[in-house]
C-alpha cells in the first residue's frame, strides 16, 4: 500500500502559519491536472482567506476560446481545453472565496532563453527537434521580468479584482519564433511554419489580452515582445545566464 500523503489543506496551513506572509502569489500550474490547477488553487484561496492574507492568483489567457479575439478584464471565461477549464474554475472559486484577492491573467511568458517556447525555437532552428510553429495561433507575449514585477506590485498594493498582465504586441507563434531566433543569432528561415487549424492540436487560435486598463493602474510597464526581444538581439542564450 502506498504511503498516505498529508492532506493539502493541512500542509498549506502549516506553511502559512510558519511563514506568516502578508501576501501570497499563486503562480503554480499543474497544466490540465485538475487536482493541482483547480483544487489546489481553491485550497490555497481558502487558507489565505482564513489568515487574512492578500492573495494574488495567476491565471491564463487559456480561459478564453478566441471567439471574440480581444479580451478585456471584464470578459467572462469560455475555455475550450481541460487546462483552460481548470484555470477558469480556479478563477471563479478564488473570486468567491477570497473577494479581496487579485486575479492576474497572463499570456505566453518569454524569458532570457529558458522558457518553453524559446527552447522549442532553438531546437527547431538547430534541427534537434521536429515540429512546426503555428502561424495562426496569436498571443500577447510578456517578459517574465515584467510579469514578476507586476505581480509583486499587486501583492504589495493589496488591490483586489481582475488584472491582465500581457504585452501590447499580438504575435503568432511563428512570428515570435523569428524574433527569438534573430535575437539569439539563429537562422529564422530554418523555423518550420504550419497552421494549427490544419492540425489536431486543440486550443484557441487568436486570443489577445487587452492589458490597457491594468497598465493604467500599475507602475510596472509591460513591454511588447518586439521591444524586449530587439533589445537583446545578438546575445546568445549562453551569455544570458
Amino acid at each position: 500500500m502506498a504511503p498516505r500523503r498529508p492532506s493539502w489543506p493541512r500542509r498549506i496551513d502549516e506553511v502559512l502559519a510558519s511563514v506568516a506572509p502578508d501576501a501570497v502569489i499563486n503562480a503554480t500550474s499543474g497544466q490540465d491536472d485538475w487536482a493541482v490547477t483547480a483544487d489546489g488553487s481553491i485550497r490555497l484561496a481558502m487558507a489565505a482567506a482564513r489568515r487574512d492574507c492578500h492573495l494574488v492568483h495567476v491565471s491564463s489567457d487559456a480561459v478564453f476560446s478566441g471567439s471574440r479575439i480581444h479580451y478585456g478584464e471584464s470578459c467572462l471565461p469560455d475555455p475550450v481545453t481541460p487546462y483552460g477549464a481548470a484555470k477558469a474554475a480556479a478563477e471563479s472559486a478564488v473570486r468567491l472565496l477570497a473577494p479581496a484577492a487579485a486575479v492576474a491573467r497572463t499570456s505566453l511568458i518569454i524569458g532570457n532563453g529558458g522558457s518553453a517556447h524559446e527552447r522549442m525555437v532553438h531546437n527547431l532552428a538547430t534541427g534537434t527537434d521536429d515540429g512546426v510553429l503555428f502561424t495562426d495561433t496569436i498571443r500577447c507575449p510578456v517578459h517574465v521580468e515584467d510579469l514578476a514585477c507586476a505581480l509583486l506590485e499587486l501583492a504589495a498594493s493589496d488591490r483586489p479584482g481582475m488584472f491582465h498582465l500581457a504585452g501590447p504586441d499580438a504575435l503568432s507563434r511563428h512570428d515570435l519564433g523569428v524574433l527569438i531566433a534573430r535575437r539569439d543569432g539563429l537562422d529564422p528561415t530554418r523555423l518550420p511554419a504550419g497552421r494549427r487549424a490544419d492540425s489536431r492540436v486543440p486550443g484557441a487560435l487568436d486570443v489577445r489580452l487587452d492589458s490597457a486598463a491594468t497598465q493604467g493602474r500599475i507602475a510596472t510597464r509591460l513591454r511588447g515582445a518586439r521591444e524586449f526581444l530587439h533589445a537583446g538581439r545578438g546575445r546568445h542564450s549562453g551569455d544570458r545566464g
Side-chain angles (χ1 to χ4, degrees):
M1 180 180 295
R4 188 175 181 180
R5 295 184 299 175
S7 66
W8 281 16
R10 186 168 75 246
R11 293 175 63 185
I12 293 172
D13 279 326
E14 289 172 355
V15 171
L16 293 184
S18 174
V19 178
D22 295 322
V24 172
I25 299 175
N26 179 17
T28 60
S29 175
Q31 294 300 314
D32 58 359
D33 185 337
W34 191 274
V36 176
T37 301
D39 293 344
S41 296
I42 292 169
R43 292 183 176 110
L44 179 56
M46 294 172 66
R50 283 194 297 269
R51 295 185 171 277
D52 196 24
C53 177
H54 182 53
L55 174 64
V56 179
H57 174 78
V58 181
S59 190
S60 166
D61 58 12
V63 301
F64 297 123
S65 69
S67 61
R68 60 176 294 159
I69 300 179
H70 299 277
Y71 291 89
E73 286 89 341
S74 63
C75 291
L76 297 178
D78 60 340
V80 293
T81 63
Y83 172 62
K87 278 293 191 182
E91 273 191 18
S92 298
V94 166
R95 300 189 76 181
L96 176 65
L97 298 169
V103 176
R105 294 173 179 143
T106 191
S107 190
L108 191 60
I109 302 171
I110 301 299
N112 294 319
S115 72
H117 191 72
E118 288 167 286
R119 293 195 300 271
M120 177 186 292
V121 169
H122 275 246
N123 291 339
L124 292 174
T126 57
T128 58
D129 202 356
D130 296 325
V132 299
L133 295 176
F134 294 129
T135 59
D136 58 348
T137 300
I138 313 295
R139 298 293 185 270
C140 295
V142 63
H143 196 282
V144 65
E145 293 173 2
D146 297 348
L147 177 59
C149 288
L151 291 173
L152 287 173
E153 184 178 342
L154 290 177
S157 71
D158 287 342
R159 291 175 182 166
M162 183 66 68
F163 299 85
H164 279 186
L165 302 179
D169 295 341
L171 296 169
S172 73
R173 290 269 187 168
H174 186 268
D175 288 340
L176 180 61
V178 169
L179 292 177
I180 292 170
R182 287 174 177 166
R183 179 198 65 182
D184 295 345
L186 302 170
D187 183 0
T189 65
R190 298 196 61 184
L191 296 176
R195 282 170 26 98
R196 188 173 194 157
D198 298 330
S199 73
R200 295 185 177 181
V201 178
L205 294 178
D206 198 340
V207 176
R208 310 183 191 195
L209 290 188
D210 184 348
S211 303
T214 293
Q215 187 65 93
R217 291 188 287 164
I218 64 174
T220 302
R221 189 170 74 88
L222 302 169
R223 296 168 294 166
R226 292 185 180 91
E227 178 183 347
F228 64 70
L229 289 171
H230 180 79
R233 185 173 295 182
R235 298 167 62 191
H236 294 275
S237 58
D239 300 329
R240 290 191 301 276

